[in-house]
Structure formats: C-alpha cells, structure tokens
Amino acid sequence: MIKKVNYNFRLLRNHTGFMKYFKNTSWLFGEKILRMVIGLFVGIWVARYLGPEQFGLFNYAQSFVGLFAVIATLGLDGIVIRELVKDESRYCELIGTAFFLKLMGALCVLVMLAIAINFTKNNYDTNVLIFIIASSTIFQSFNVIDFYFQSKVLSRYVVYANVISLFASTIVKVVLILSDAPLIAFAWVVFFDSIVLSMGLMFYFYRTLGFEFELNRIKFKYDRAVLLLKDSWPLILSGIASIINMRIDQVMLGNISDFNVVGNYSAAVRLSELWFILPAVIGGSIYPSFVAIRQSDFNVYRKRIFLITKVMICLSVAFALTVTFLSDFIVFYLYGFKYAEAASYLKIHIWSGVPYLSFFIFSQVAIIENLTKISLYCSVYAVISNIALNSIFIPSYGGIGAASTTLFVASTSVLLTVYIVYKRLKL
C-alpha cells in the first residue's frame, strides 16, 4: 500500500501539467495566508490606535464605497480569463478592452457616489474619506493584468506584486501609528496601496513580455466590449447582491446608529470572517474532481457531497462553539477594553459562518449542474431580507440587531439554496 502511494506521488510529481497547476495554486494560497496573518495583526493595531469611533467611521467609509465599487469590476474577471484561455493570440485586444471598460466603470462609481452621499447623514469629513478610498477603484483597472497571468498559470507574478503592495502599505500604517497620524492618513493608504499594486502588475507584465513591448498594441475594441458585457451582466448583478449582503449592515449601522457601534461591530466581523478562507481553499482543490466524478458515477458524487457536508458541519459548529465561549477573552486580548461590546456581536455573528461553511459545496454543485440562476435568486432574497430586517432591528437593538439579521439571512438563504438543489437533483 505504501509503495503504491509513493508510486502515485512520484507519478504526480513528474506530471508536468499537475505540477504547473499545483505550484500556481500554492503561490496563491501562500499569499492569502500571508495577507490574512499580516492583515489581522496590523488591522488590530490600527483598530486599537484609532479607537472604536474612528475605526467605525473608517470601516463605514470602506463599506459605503464597497457597495458601489463592485460595479467597477463589471463581472468581467472570470469571463476575460476564459476568453484569454480560449484564444491567447488576442490578449492585447482582450486586455485593452477590459481595461477601458473597468476604467469607465470606476468613473461611473465616483459619479454614483457623488449622488448617493446626498441621501445620507454624512458630514463633510466622512465624504472626504469616502472619495479618497473610492479613488483607488481607478487603479484597480490594472487588475486586468492579473487575468492575463491567471490564463497563463503564472500567478506567482501577481503574488509578487501583491506582497510588495502588502508590505509597503503595512510599513506605511506602522509609521502612521507611531507618528500619531490622523484618520484621513489611513484612507490615503488605501489609495497608495492601489497605486503600488498597479505599478507592480505593470512591471511584471512588461518583464514577462519583454521591456520592448509597445503599449500601443493594447487597444479597445467596441465589438469585443459588447460581447464581454453580454456574458458578464448576470455576474454583475450577482456581485452587487453579494457585496450588499456583506456591507449593508455596517452602512446602515453608520446611518441609523453611531460610529462607536460600527467600530465594535466591524471588529467582531473581521474576526468572524477570518475562517471564510476555508471554503475558498477547499473548494478550489476539490471542484475539478467533482466535475469528473459527476460525469462518471452519480452515486459516488452524491456520497462525496454528503461526506464533505457532514465533516464541514462538525468542524464549523465546533469552531463556532469555541469562539462563542472564548469571545470575551479573544476580543479583550486582541482589541482591548474599549471594544468590549464587540464580544457580544462576535458571539452571534460567528454563527453566520456555520451555514455558509457547512453547505458551501452546494454552491459548487449548482455551478456543475448549470443551476447558477439559483444563486442569483437566493442573493436577491438575501439583499431584500437584509435591508428590511436591518431597518427594523438596528434602530432598537443596534449591533445586536445587525448581527442577528446577518445570522438569520445567512442561514435561510443558504438553506434555501440547499433545498432547491436537493429537489432538483434528488441528492
């Protein structure tokens, strides 16, 4: 048995295609872990330095921008990568078209924000924070270079650029804390980070193609833009629904409650969402195998779904229970006594990840079975429920109401997806 395992391992290690994708995935996974660890500790330091009220204002501004910034992506990410893989000879046309579409999307975001702030209770300083942060979406247009590297399975260059920007922004944040900088300086760090990342991506793009590469080869094609947008519009709607579900609670807290509550709530959410990386890592590893199993043996496919679901339920419930019992200690140790309210929010919000982690495999099953409209329908339901319930409970219960709404909506929307997939496929 051991000899067979060793033989299979050597076979995979000598398989060029497998090792190419394995190394590519390893680079991406390593960067995510590094970003998560550094982001957690530096984020906690920033939170302790700013205090609940200013930290709440900073997160409110980021969440407010986030509601609109998703529009700038235009749902193009996966579509452009797919087209680059299908016809790599037209990469100049695809990258150029996607870049200008994203640039126009970013400018539209700024216009929409200028209109939207008139319907809020924001003061002048809050709006300045919002527009500084929102300006970073312009430089995110350079992320089209990321699509090129992904299509070539060369994500290590994207990781290089991301790590450079991560360390640059981390150093700047530390300097700002030590120099007793004002809140607005941290908003400029978001803008600075987007510039550094775009410059890094451009550098590695030129390095890969050769520094003699002529920029005027990157061109916008109207016909290509129409085709890309025709394919991406459902993803735009789905992305908007998804980001609203993630950010609307903090935005509504900022408008209905006060920024001290937003600061405590944001601290709890950051801790609660740390483990959301798990489905992305596991899903990325098992998705291709599930596609293959579905084609060969439906019974094995069904059993694997059940097995993974059972394991994830046990892990997620055990983790949520542990955090619930230790939440006061965790919050006090990481954030300090100023964020004491965050412990109460964390005890509730941590459970919103249980349905998401337990049944994440069903969202992948929906894609495999070409039932992607289900995800859109459930996202729309979640948006409507989130806004309605937050409007009812935040005025009376503040952060507790927002956390409870998140838990209820997450549970019902995920279970609705599971139920529909089960009924359609008799899993």
Side-chain angles (χ1 to χ4, degrees):
M1 182 65 181
I2 295 176
K3 289 183 178 180
K4 185 177 180 181
V5 171
N6 289 334
Y7 173 75
N8 290 333
F9 177 76
R10 286 196 301 270
L11 194 65
L12 287 173
R13 190 174 60 184
N14 294 327
H15 191 285
T16 306
F18 171 80
M19 290 306 298
K20 181 180 181 181
Y21 285 96
F22 176 77
K23 290 178 180 178
N24 191 67
T25 303
S26 298
W27 277 104
L28 292 171
F29 179 69
E31 188 265 331
K32 285 183 181 294
I33 295 296
L34 181 64
R35 182 173 292 275
M36 183 183 71
V37 172
I38 294 178
L40 174 63
F41 287 101
V42 176
I44 289 171
W45 196 2
V46 170
R48 293 176 72 110
Y49 168 74
L50 293 176
E53 187 171 354
Q54 284 199 311
F55 185 63
L57 175 56
F58 185 49
N59 278 277
Y60 167 79
Q62 288 183 304
S63 296
F64 194 86
V65 172
L67 292 178
F68 297 89
V70 67
I71 298 172
T73 68
L74 297 175
L76 291 172
D77 299 17
I79 305 297
V80 174
I81 294 171
R82 182 193 69 191
E83 295 302 313
L84 284 168
V85 172
K86 286 169 60 177
D87 188 0
E88 63 180 35
S89 64
R90 306 182 72 174
Y91 72 91
C92 288
E93 174 186 318
L94 283 164
I95 291 175
T97 302
F99 173 81
F100 284 106
L101 284 175
K102 281 178 169 285
L103 184 60
M104 292 301 103
L107 295 175
C108 287
V109 166
L110 294 177
V111 173
M112 293 171 67
L113 280 169
I115 297 171
I117 59 174
N118 295 302
F119 299 93
T120 67
K121 66 173 188 179
N122 298 346
N123 58 28
Y124 175 79
D125 292 335
T126 302
N127 289 334
V128 169
L129 284 177
I130 287 172
F131 277 97
I132 292 173
I133 294 170
S135 298
S136 64
T137 58
I138 295 174
F139 294 95
Q140 289 173 11
S141 305
F142 288 92
N143 286 351
V144 295
I145 297 173
D146 182 1
F147 308 157
Y148 172 79
F149 285 129
Q150 286 189 53
S151 70
K152 294 288 188 180
V153 198
L154 294 172
S155 290
R156 67 179 182 274
Y157 296 118
V158 179
V159 171
Y160 295 158
N162 273 291
V163 170
I164 290 170
S165 68
L166 174 62
F167 279 103
S169 62
T170 298
I171 292 170
V172 172
K173 286 175 185 176
V174 171
V175 171
L176 291 177
I177 292 172
L178 296 177
S179 60
D180 199 26
L183 173 59
I184 195 171
F186 292 89
W188 282 112
V189 173
V190 178
F191 182 77
F192 167 76
D193 187 38
S194 65
I195 295 177
V196 174
L197 178 59
S198 61
M199 291 175 63
L201 289 172
M202 283 291 291
F203 171 79
Y204 286 110
F205 182 67
Y206 272 104
R207 182 181 177 183
T208 303
L209 296 177
F211 287 105
E212 69 278 2
F213 179 80
E214 297 176 0
L215 191 60
N216 59 11
R217 291 175 58 188
I218 304 294
K219 295 181 179 179
F220 174 83
K221 293 287 186 179
Y222 176 79
D223 293 342
R224 175 63 65 178
V226 172
L227 291 174
L228 290 174
L229 292 174
K230 184 178 179 181
D231 286 346
S232 70
W233 75 263
L235 298 176
I236 298 174
L237 297 179
S238 182
I240 292 172
S242 177
I243 200 67
I244 289 175
N245 285 326
M246 292 178 65
R247 303 289 190 179
I248 195 64
D249 47 2
Q250 295 179 59
V251 172
M252 293 184 73
L253 272 173
N255 280 282
I256 298 174
S257 187
D258 58 70
F259 291 125
N260 185 70
V261 174
V262 180
N264 277 274
Y265 186 81
S266 299
V269 169
R270 291 199 174 195
L271 293 176
S272 180
E273 292 181 348
L274 276 177
W275 63 332
F276 281 21
I277 190 177
L278 194 60
V281 174
I282 296 176
S285 301
I286 66 174
Y287 180 75
S289 65
F290 265 69
V291 175
I293 294 171
R294 176 63 178 88
Q295 295 176 335
S296 59
D297 194 328
F298 184 80
N299 286 327
V300 174
Y301 174 69
R302 178 176 57 82
K303 290 177 181 178
R304 294 282 176 86
I305 293 171
F306 176 72
L307 176 62
I308 290 176
T309 301
K310 184 169 64 173
V311 170
M312 292 306 296
I313 287 174
C314 294
L315 289 174
S316 59
V317 169
F319 183 78
L321 278 172
T322 303
V323 173
T324 300
F325 285 117
L326 298 176
S327 59
D328 292 291
F329 171 77
I330 293 171
V331 169
F332 178 78
Y333 181 76
L334 293 178
Y335 288 103
F337 70 91
K338 291 182 180 179
Y339 287 87
E341 290 180 27
S344 300
Y345 307 150
L346 181 59
K347 290 176 183 178
I348 300 172
H349 200 282
I350 192 67
W351 288 93
S352 64
V354 171
Y356 173 64
L357 269 75
S358 297
F359 301 107
F360 81 93
I361 190 65
F362 279 82
S363 62
Q364 296 190 317
V365 170
I367 297 174
I368 294 172
E369 302 294 340
N370 199 26
L371 300 173
T372 50
K373 287 185 179 179
I374 291 174
S375 299
L376 180 58
Y377 297 152
C378 291
S379 294
V380 171
Y381 155 78
V383 168
I384 296 172
S385 301
N386 245 323
I387 295 174
L389 293 176
N390 276 319
S391 300
I392 296 170
F393 292 112
I394 287 179
S396 300
Y397 302 101
I400 295 293
S404 301
T405 294
T406 299
L407 173 57
F408 175 80
V409 172
S411 301
T412 53
S413 59
V414 169
L415 290 175
L416 182 60
T417 302
V418 172
Y419 176 75
I420 294 173
V421 172
Y422 168 77
K423 293 294 287 184
R424 293 283 185 90
L425 304 176
K426 304 298 181 184
L427 289 172

